[in-house]
Amino acid sequence: MGTPVPDNAPMSGFMGSGKQMGTEQDERKVRPRRRWRRWLWITPCALALFSIVQVVVLRFVDPPFSTVMALRQVEAWGQGDWGFRIHYQWRDLDAMAASVPISLVAAEDQRFPLHNGFDLEAIEKAMDHNARGKRLRGGSTISQQVAKNLFLWQGRSWLRKGLEAWYTVLIEALWSKRRILEMYANVAEFGDGVYGVQAASRQFWGKDAARLSPAESARLAAVLPSPRRYSATRPGPFVQRRAAWIQRQARQLGGPGYAVDGE
């Protein structure tokens, strides 16, 4: 038997031990919460820093592929199409026909040299157009499309739109307009699995992008709303009308200099 404890013996030792155990248990509960809080701000900061490094590097380095290209290749393999291959060849803007950049700007973003990545005027017009029940029209700028095609994925979600806006801000802040347009001309899809003006020129007409005629450049730009549906080599009525309109718009904008002048 143990030694009995007198009724009047002090209990401070037992109480102190109980308080210590309670404190340790509280600490164990608090530590995971602190870790989660730490990760809640460390993770977004790390991702933001990574995205900034991505954009800075690609200001000087030509990408070997884009996220959209990689996902398209994986999609084809997932469907059992093991022979599917992405066609992509980088070409500097100076190595393309002068009619290429102005055709892209005339077709997709006529205020490209003037805005800072987001064209509020075009967005308002697109919303008004869509509200009247007409064919859906987007208000995305060339900068936004570069952000989506180079770094993100196809589809509609608030997450993707948020990331698209973030990357758009970065490339507008860290790249020249010329670099943005050069990137767009190289990563835009002009046919199923055909990315960039050089690959499209080779696949469709068997020649280098430097030898494209104004009409051919306009037809390439004309298929951009849906490059897997429309053909630049076998243009239907829609592509023919749109290509003619693009050529007229290119002349009215002032020709090639409008698209590439200014940094």
Side-chain angles (χ1 to χ4, degrees):
M1 295 178 61
T3 304
V5 179
D7 292 340
N8 61 350
M11 301 297 290
S12 58
F14 294 100
M15 293 174 64
S17 175
K19 287 181 180 178
Q20 184 176 358
M21 290 176 61
T23 303
E24 289 175 356
Q25 289 174 350
D26 291 343
E27 277 294 320
R28 282 197 292 269
K29 291 177 182 177
V30 169
R31 277 178 203 151
R33 288 201 295 267
R34 286 177 180 166
R35 273 194 222 103
W36 276 111
R37 285 185 195 138
R38 193 179 303 122
W39 281 110
L40 280 175
W41 68 265
I42 287 178
T43 302
C45 287
L47 291 174
L49 180 59
F50 175 72
S51 63
I52 292 170
V53 171
Q54 275 184 302
V55 174
V56 169
V57 169
L58 290 174
R59 176 181 177 179
F60 307 101
V61 178
D62 302 330
F65 61 90
S66 71
T67 301
V68 168
M69 293 179 207
L71 292 175
R72 179 66 186 97
Q73 183 68 70
V74 171
E75 178 189 3
W77 288 340
Q79 294 171 346
D81 188 357
W82 299 104
F84 181 86
R85 291 293 179 271
I86 294 294
H87 299 281
Y88 167 67
Q89 291 177 277
W90 178 273
R91 276 296 182 275
D92 293 343
L93 210 59
D94 290 338
M96 297 180 189
S99 57
V100 168
I102 187 59
S103 295
L104 296 176
V105 168
E108 296 293 289
D109 184 4
Q110 294 190 8
R111 289 171 48 82
F112 172 71
L114 309 176
H115 62 65
N116 293 316
F118 305 95
D119 189 347
L120 299 181
E121 183 180 318
I123 293 172
E124 288 177 3
K125 287 181 179 178
M127 291 175 65
D128 181 62
H129 176 89
N130 297 339
R132 282 180 278 159
K134 297 184 179 181
R135 182 197 298 265
L136 287 180
R137 176 192 295 172
S140 294
T141 64
I142 284 176
S143 303
Q144 289 175 276
Q145 292 181 58
V146 168
K148 177 184 69 177
N149 292 334
L150 188 58
F151 300 107
L152 304 173
W153 61 91
Q154 302 288 354
R156 296 177 182 274
S157 70
W158 287 110
L159 173 62
R160 193 192 67 75
K161 291 301 290 184
L163 290 173
E164 178 187 302
W166 168 247
Y167 273 107
T168 299
V169 170
L170 288 183
I171 65 177
E172 280 282 343
L174 299 173
W175 294 358
S176 67
K177 286 287 188 178
R178 184 183 186 86
R179 180 60 171 173
I180 295 171
L181 187 55
E182 181 175 62
M183 193 69 73
Y184 183 63
N186 278 281
V187 302
E189 185 178 21
F190 294 97
D192 191 11
V194 181
Y195 294 88
V197 171
Q198 173 64 15
S201 183
R202 283 291 181 191
Q203 286 294 117
F204 301 156
W205 294 293
K207 60 183 177 181
D208 195 83
R211 296 175 53 214
L212 286 171
S213 69
E216 290 165 340
S217 298
R219 291 209 323 250
L220 284 178
V223 305
L224 286 174
S226 186
R228 299 183 196 179
R229 177 182 177 187
Y230 301 117
S231 170
T233 53
R234 297 182 301 278
F238 170 78
V239 172
Q240 291 177 21
R241 287 194 305 270
R242 183 165 163 78
W245 177 83
I246 288 169
Q247 286 189 272
R248 289 195 301 272
Q249 292 297 303
R251 288 193 294 270
Q252 291 177 13
L253 288 171
Y258 176 80
V260 296
D261 282 351
E263 293 297 312

